[in-house]
Amino acid sequence: MPHRSAQPPSPPKPPHCRLALVVIARNEAVTLRACLESARDLVESIILLDTGSSDATVAIAQDCGAQVHHFAWCDDFAAARNAALAYSPAAWNLVLDADERLAEDAAGAEALIEATRGPATRIGLLPVISAFDLEDQVAHSTSWLPRLLPASVRYQGRVHEQPCSERPRVRLPMPIYHSGYRRAALARKRGRNRRLLLAMLEERPEDAYLHYQLGKDDEVYGAFAEAAEHDQRALQWVAPQQGYRHDLVVRLLYVLKRAGQLETAIQLAEQEMPHWQQSPDFFFVLGDLLLDWAIAHPAQAEQEFLPLVDSAWSTCLALGEQPQLEGSVQGRGSFLAAHNLAVLHEQMGRVEQAREYQELARALREGQGQR
């Protein structure tokens, strides 16, 4: 029997307004107000579906002017999304998570509104900028996700649900900031997504996207060998044109390195290099791989491998930031690459070059608002 979330969408009700914000939430009192207030001036209605909160989530939503409805959680994000969408009175729905907020971006807001003035024949992809913690700083990656939906579109998938529609996708430059990958947030929801993903994988064991998401889940919790296994399976089955293939390849190189499978990572990098000549993320991780290889082969390091490291990170600077690539990390085409080059040249005794790269890294970081 098909899973309930994969059923065809019910016919939409006639729209009574142009754009609504639709959010599902459970115990999101910490972040919810910022989410709702970030979109309040752009939408005509706010729909919040509460899936069983025991904190102030419902009260905050009501205070922000949301219409609050309730839903019995059934381990199915698509079912909850679709229940929320069924309450929307709008021709278009803007879908946010409670740990997200729209950027204060006038041009992006105008692009979003303009997209809703035309016929509902397309789905809007918005750049979701996720903050995550490194050892000594906060980094940001960008994913282009379907968040502006015509009224009739519904979701499928228990977790990491996707709109079920053949409508073309169009990118809209309205940034969404996401805090759900910070350490504290990850600790609260550890194991939740994995359990649902494994249940879906039993039904579709060769689904590349499910393996990709399981690999990401393993990676963020430090299970690098398991992440590499899922990423390798995903790469085996993913279609060449899939947008997330870029993120998948870069992540696989990283987790192979962290899992101690350096030779496999180097071989994969050689195979994939022709496809990612415009990706600073690829060359950034390649530089890391080559540096580890140089450390493992000290006799050849200075003459052979360290120049390759230098070349990889210099290529990052030449390419610059490429946020249109799925999973791109801010700084890999600018200040992070310059910082790594500064450290590399300092370790090689090239004091003047190291100082120049330090100054460049500082200027690039400040230019992008990073501290």
Side-chain angles (χ1 to χ4, degrees):
M1 178 180 295
H3 193 265
R4 61 180 293 182
S5 65
Q7 294 296 318
S10 57
K13 300 175 182 178
H16 298 291
C17 66
R18 177 183 47 81
L19 178 62
L21 172 64
V22 180
V23 179
I24 64 173
R26 181 179 183 181
N27 292 335
E28 298 284 2
V30 173
T31 59
L32 182 61
R33 186 178 297 277
C35 170
L36 302 184
E37 290 183 349
S38 74
R40 186 158 52 182
D41 292 340
L42 296 179
V43 302
E44 298 164 56
S45 180
I46 299 175
I47 306 298
L48 183 126
L49 189 77
D50 184 76
T51 63
S53 294
S54 57
D55 65 0
T57 291
V58 169
I60 291 170
Q62 292 171 334
D63 187 56
C64 291
Q67 301 174 31
V68 177
H69 304 275
H70 298 275
F71 180 82
W73 180 245
C74 59
D75 279 349
D76 188 328
F77 279 91
R81 298 272 188 210
N82 293 340
L85 289 169
Y87 288 111
S88 172
W92 291 87
N93 294 306
L94 173 64
V95 178
L96 294 180
D97 288 335
D99 57 4
E100 297 174 340
R101 59 180 175 84
L102 290 179
E104 295 182 7
D105 188 310
E110 178 56 33
L112 181 67
I113 296 303
E114 183 63 30
T116 67
R117 293 187 178 124
T121 57
R122 301 183 294 178
I123 287 176
L125 300 176
L126 276 61
V128 179
I129 302 170
S130 297
F132 61 96
D133 295 291
L134 300 177
E135 290 184 3
D136 57 350
Q137 61 183 307
V138 178
H140 299 83
S141 65
T142 301
S143 298
W144 290 83
L145 300 179
R147 295 304 185 86
L148 182 64
L149 309 181
S152 62
V153 173
R154 295 295 184 266
Y155 284 90
Q156 63 179 0
R158 289 189 181 99
V159 66
H160 295 296
E161 62 283 2
Q162 295 293 311
C164 184
S165 173
E166 296 301 319
R167 288 175 173 84
R169 268 67 166 166
V170 59
R171 289 188 171 188
L172 302 173
M174 179 69 242
I176 298 171
Y177 294 122
H178 172 230
S179 61
Y181 289 155
R182 301 296 302 273
R183 288 193 185 102
L186 288 172
R188 288 195 301 270
K189 57 189 179 184
R190 182 166 189 165
R192 181 199 67 186
N193 288 358
R194 181 175 182 81
R195 175 171 52 82
L196 299 178
L197 285 166
L198 288 172
M200 293 172 66
L201 198 63
E202 289 183 2
E203 301 170 2
R204 306 198 302 272
E206 295 186 1
D207 189 311
Y209 187 72
L210 294 179
H211 283 289
Y212 163 66
Q213 292 293 351
L214 276 164
K216 287 173 63 176
D217 194 75
D218 283 328
E219 179 186 339
V220 298
Y221 294 113
F224 298 114
E226 293 85 350
E229 183 177 349
H230 283 295
D231 286 350
Q232 286 169 316
R233 292 182 181 180
L235 189 59
Q236 177 183 352
W237 293 312
V238 68
Q241 70 275 14
Q242 281 288 352
Y244 69 82
R245 195 180 190 280
H246 171 262
D247 189 44
L248 171 62
V249 169
V250 174
R251 286 178 179 275
L252 178 52
L253 293 174
Y254 171 75
V255 296
L256 284 170
K257 164 180 144 54
R258 293 297 303 270
Q261 302 178 46
L262 189 57
E263 186 170 354
T264 301
I266 294 289
Q267 292 172 353
L268 176 63
E270 291 176 347
Q271 296 168 11
E272 290 290 331
M273 188 179 296
H275 305 297
W276 308 115
Q277 290 296 301
Q278 301 303 312
S279 168
D281 297 86
F282 178 86
F283 284 99
F284 188 89
V285 176
L286 176 62
D288 283 343
L289 294 176
L290 292 169
L291 181 59
D292 278 15
W293 192 262
I295 293 171
H297 300 82
Q300 302 163 277
E302 186 169 354
Q303 295 299 318
E304 186 173 350
F305 299 128
L306 291 182
L308 295 176
V309 177
D310 190 330
S311 176
W313 289 334
S314 296
T315 299
C316 295
L317 292 178
L319 291 172
E321 300 287 0
Q322 301 292 331
Q324 77 279 5
L325 292 172
E326 186 72 19
S328 63
V329 173
Q330 184 183 13
R332 284 178 171 172
S334 59
F335 59 87
L336 293 177
H339 169 77
N340 282 8
L341 284 165
V343 174
L344 176 67
H345 283 275
E346 184 176 19
Q347 292 299 316
M348 295 176 70
R350 301 171 180 172
V351 178
E352 185 59 32
Q353 292 95 323
R355 184 180 300 111
E356 291 175 359
Y357 280 120
Q358 287 171 350
E359 293 174 356
L360 177 61
R362 186 181 305 109
L364 291 171
R365 185 185 296 271
E366 292 174 352
Q368 296 186 34
Q370 298 290 319
R371 296 290 186 270

